[in-house]
Amino acid sequence: MPKEKNVIIAKDLCLEYKKDVPIIKDSTFTIKSGSFVFITGPSGSGKSTLLKSFYGELKPKSGILQIGGVSLNDIKSSKLAFLRKYLGIIFQDYKLIKEWTVEKNVMLPLLIAGYSKNVCEAQTKRLLKHVRLSGKEHYYPLELSGGEQQRVAMARALAHNPVIILADEPTGNLDEYSSRVIWGLLEGANEQLGTTVVVVTHSIPTNLKVPFKHLYIENGTVYEIS
Amino acid sequence: MKSLKNHISLIIPLFAILFAVEFYFLIDKIITEYEANLSKDYSIIVVSKKPLTLPELKAVEPDITAIKEVSSELVLERLRQNGVDVDFKELKSFLPHFYKVYLGSFPSASTLRHIKKLLSSVDGVTRVETFTKVHEKIYHFLVFLKNISKFFLGIIFVTSIMLVFKQIEIWNLEHSERMYIMALFGAPLWMRNAILIKLSIIDTIISTLLVYLIYSYLLSTKYLKELLGFENITIDSHDLLRDLGWLFVLGICISVINVLIVSWRQPKIT
């Protein structure tokens, strides 16, 4: 992914699932490389929809949407697959592969990137220690608590040192301890590695140490709040 | 248990396809050998006023491999036995030349008619006898056998392909969540489908080996050995081993093509 000053650019962006029922309409905003961004808004306002468009699951109806200089408007599957290698995605429902062990789930982005088995294992071990799940490498996701599963998802999102982390309500269902771990890791990635972090959430944590940008969605329009 | 059921659901149609293909291969081999044996024994009788040579006839029909002159003594001997009252010495001087003409392959009835026409046009040839009636009976029987095996193969192939396709579609649904998650992290198509391709390869190996073992057993039975030996037809283990390779390649192609078709038919994981 080329290094762009603005890693995400949206201009007059319109998103819709059904024809003529726009979820996001005529919204213009930018997200700078290395920034920490919160997307908030009432339930059903289109926060998750906007995030989906960032990883190419929903193509823009009209307007312009660019990620790392790559237009998502008419992107081909092969190019999208290539782009996603630079993204780390965290979902509210974790989206872990339940037939795979914790170790293999975390390894997934590394395997896709083509790293050797040794590198994958070493990186996975380091990350699981980081998310405080050492010793649970051979567990299956359904053997873990919700908080632990989300920490596995966090480790997976960080595994390949992504350029952008996209998180959809990452602490929505979590206990306080797991939430603290997740926020700490997101802050760490942003501060230490310069990773751009985009988080969809209902409420912005009060004890965040890093400066952040706030995008607020209401009635389908994205507002930048300073 | 569920996994075993899933494997069997693919192994059975794959086995049916490969079994039918191998059956066709064997029938084809048996018919080819039988035809070769027939063509060895089969000859056309040509009666000519002038002596004929092989190059002369080959120039007319390249499939002619040999000619053998029938001694006129044999013809006269037959007349003598039938009690014909003639001067055999004088008759001998008037008798034409009789030839047995051998062909390289067992011809179809139309080819035979064509050859007869060509030989009749050779200078000096007065008569050509192809024994068409007997020949056509055998030939039509062989063609019928070939067509029946083709028809049998076609029906099994189509129905089994549909079953293979359905089974791979079921696998695809079972693994769709995994494939979707992999796609979200940028896994290419081949990587997402790797699990399906792996399952297909395992089941193809099992099906191919089953076909090989069953045919090896059948061909080693006393009954079939005697039946084929009676017609001087031999099918050895090398033939089966060579077919095994072809069957495996065919099985893999069918499975992989089905996996790809099923993947492309699914809603695009963008």
Side-chain angles (χ1 to χ4, degrees):
Chain A
M1 183 187 275
K3 287 239 170 189
E4 298 283 325
K5 196 179 168 195
N6 286 320
V7 78
I8 298 176
I9 298 170
K11 199 174 174 191
D12 302 325
L13 180 67
C14 281
L15 301 171
E16 62 181 35
Y17 290 110
K18 280 186 189 170
K19 207 179 172 202
D20 300 329
V21 185
I23 308 290
I24 300 290
K25 51 191 178 192
D26 301 328
S27 294
T28 298
F29 59 88
T30 55
I31 293 175
K32 278 188 185 149
S33 176
S35 60
F36 201 112
V37 180
F38 284 103
I39 301 173
T40 65
S43 293
S45 57
K47 304 184 293 287
S48 297
T49 303
L50 183 63
L51 202 76
K52 269 185 187 177
S53 73
F54 292 167
Y55 56 82
E57 209 183 350
L58 184 67
K59 284 184 180 165
K61 171 71 184 156
S62 62
I64 292 168
L65 180 60
Q66 286 181 358
I67 307 285
V70 178
S71 170
L72 291 179
N73 289 59
D74 45 13
I75 192 167
K76 284 184 181 166
S77 299
S78 55
K79 201 168 182 187
L80 184 60
F82 180 75
L83 180 73
R84 281 176 177 170
K85 288 179 188 173
Y86 294 93
L87 306 179
I89 313 171
I90 304 163
F91 302 91
Q92 193 178 7
D93 59 354
Y94 326 127
K95 289 213 181 344
L96 297 174
I97 297 173
K98 55 182 183 293
E99 300 88 356
W100 287 6
T101 60
V102 164
E103 186 183 44
K104 203 170 174 194
N105 266 287
V106 176
M107 265 184 202
L108 176 65
L110 298 167
L111 294 171
I112 292 168
Y115 286 100
S116 69
K117 203 184 166 196
N118 287 345
V119 172
C120 291
E121 279 174 357
Q123 175 78 333
T124 303
K125 204 172 173 186
R126 190 183 66 77
L127 279 162
L128 286 176
K129 194 177 169 192
H130 217 52
V131 296
R132 289 153 212 188
L133 284 173
S134 289
K136 300 218 167 173
E137 291 87 347
H138 303 296
Y139 280 56
Y140 287 90
L142 296 181
E143 294 170 341
L144 303 177
S145 70
E148 286 173 322
Q149 286 187 53
Q150 190 62 301
R151 279 186 272 151
V152 175
M154 184 74 213
R156 180 181 63 184
L158 292 171
H160 53 309
N161 293 328
V163 176
I164 307 170
I165 291 178
L166 303 171
D168 190 1
E169 309 219 18
T171 57
N173 304 320
L174 302 189
D175 58 276
E176 206 189 318
Y177 172 75
S178 291
S179 295
R180 263 206 322 270
V181 173
I182 298 290
W183 287 122
L185 288 166
L186 289 174
E187 278 185 286
N190 179 251
E191 260 187 334
Q192 289 154 30
L193 304 170
T195 311
T196 308
V197 179
V198 182
V199 184
V200 163
T201 184
H202 275 291
S203 55
I204 299 169
T206 48
N207 53 352
L208 211 68
K209 291 167 200 143
V210 292
F212 62 85
K213 181 175 181 167
H214 184 188
L215 297 176
Y216 182 74
I217 306 176
E218 195 168 38
N219 297 325
T221 307
V222 181
Y223 301 97
E224 285 191 38
I225 297 176
S226 45
Chain B
M1 195 65 199
K2 196 183 159 199
S3 164
L4 184 70
K5 202 179 142 195
N6 271 341
H7 277 287
I8 289 172
S9 305
L10 185 69
I11 289 170
I12 289 173
L14 265 177
F15 171 78
I17 293 175
L18 301 182
F19 192 88
V21 171
E22 182 55 31
F23 181 76
Y24 178 75
F25 281 169
L26 284 180
I27 286 285
D28 194 54
K29 235 170 266 169
I30 289 168
I31 289 174
T32 310
E33 275 210 35
Y34 189 63
E35 278 182 355
N37 288 346
L38 274 180
S39 70
K40 254 187 250 165
D41 298 337
Y42 178 77
S43 60
I44 299 168
I45 298 292
V46 175
V47 184
S48 173
K49 282 190 272 182
K50 285 171 35 182
L52 297 173
T53 60
L54 181 62
E56 193 181 351
L57 294 186
K58 248 190 173 327
V60 176
E61 172 53 54
D63 200 32
I64 293 171
T65 53
I67 60 167
K68 191 175 161 193
E69 184 159 11
V70 182
S71 164
S72 54
E73 280 302 327
L74 282 172
V75 181
L76 293 173
E77 187 55 36
R78 205 170 290 168
L79 289 173
R80 267 191 210 109
Q81 278 173 4
N82 288 345
V84 178
D85 186 22
V86 285
D87 182 351
F88 285 100
K89 267 190 181 172
E90 198 180 340
L91 181 62
K92 195 179 176 184
S93 63
F94 283 111
L95 268 183
H97 299 272
F98 294 89
Y99 293 96
K100 276 185 173 179
V101 174
Y102 294 92
L103 299 171
S105 58
F106 194 66
S108 68
S110 61
T111 312
L112 207 51
R113 275 194 293 274
H114 181 66
I115 293 172
K116 185 178 180 179
K117 213 173 157 187
L118 289 173
L119 289 174
S120 301
S121 67
V122 174
D123 188 29
V125 171
T126 55
R127 188 156 180 202
V128 177
E129 188 50 71
T130 55
F131 308 102
T132 320
K133 269 192 179 171
V134 181
H135 170 85
E136 272 191 359
K137 256 187 197 171
I138 297 166
Y139 187 78
H140 283 146
F141 176 69
L142 291 180
V143 170
F144 173 73
L145 253 182
K146 254 189 190 177
N147 288 340
I148 282 283
S149 62
K150 260 188 208 167
F151 179 70
F152 170 65
L153 172 68
I155 288 179
I156 290 189
F157 201 85
V158 171
T159 45
S160 303
I161 284 273
M162 282 160 69
L163 289 174
V164 170
F165 189 78
K166 281 284 153 208
Q167 184 52 40
I168 291 175
E169 216 167 36
I170 290 168
W171 280 356
N172 198 301
L173 287 174
E174 275 178 12
H175 297 284
S176 60
E177 194 191 348
R178 179 193 308 195
M179 288 156 85
Y180 167 71
I181 294 168
M182 289 174 89
L184 287 176
F185 284 87
L189 185 74
W190 70 264
M191 197 182 248
R192 297 199 304 258
N193 285 317
I195 179 76
L196 302 186
I197 292 171
K198 194 174 142 193
L199 289 170
S200 304
I201 290 173
I202 292 170
D203 289 357
T204 307
I205 291 172
I206 295 171
S207 310
T208 313
L209 285 175
L210 272 176
V211 170
Y212 176 74
L213 290 174
I214 287 175
Y215 273 106
S216 293
Y217 169 73
L218 287 176
L219 290 170
S220 68
T221 56
K222 203 180 162 193
Y223 175 72
L224 268 177
K225 267 187 170 173
E226 274 178 9
L227 193 74
L228 295 174
F230 186 69
E231 294 296 340
N232 285 329
I233 293 166
T234 49
I235 291 168
D236 54 23
S237 54
H238 290 293
D239 289 327
L240 271 183
L241 269 177
R242 194 181 48 237
D243 289 353
L244 183 75
W246 283 113
L247 294 181
F248 180 68
V249 171
L250 179 71
I252 292 288
C253 288
I254 291 170
S255 310
V256 172
I257 289 170
N258 270 303
V259 168
L260 293 176
I261 292 173
V262 169
S263 312
W264 281 322
R265 268 165 46 106
Q266 293 299 313
K268 281 259 181 245
I269 304 169
T270 49

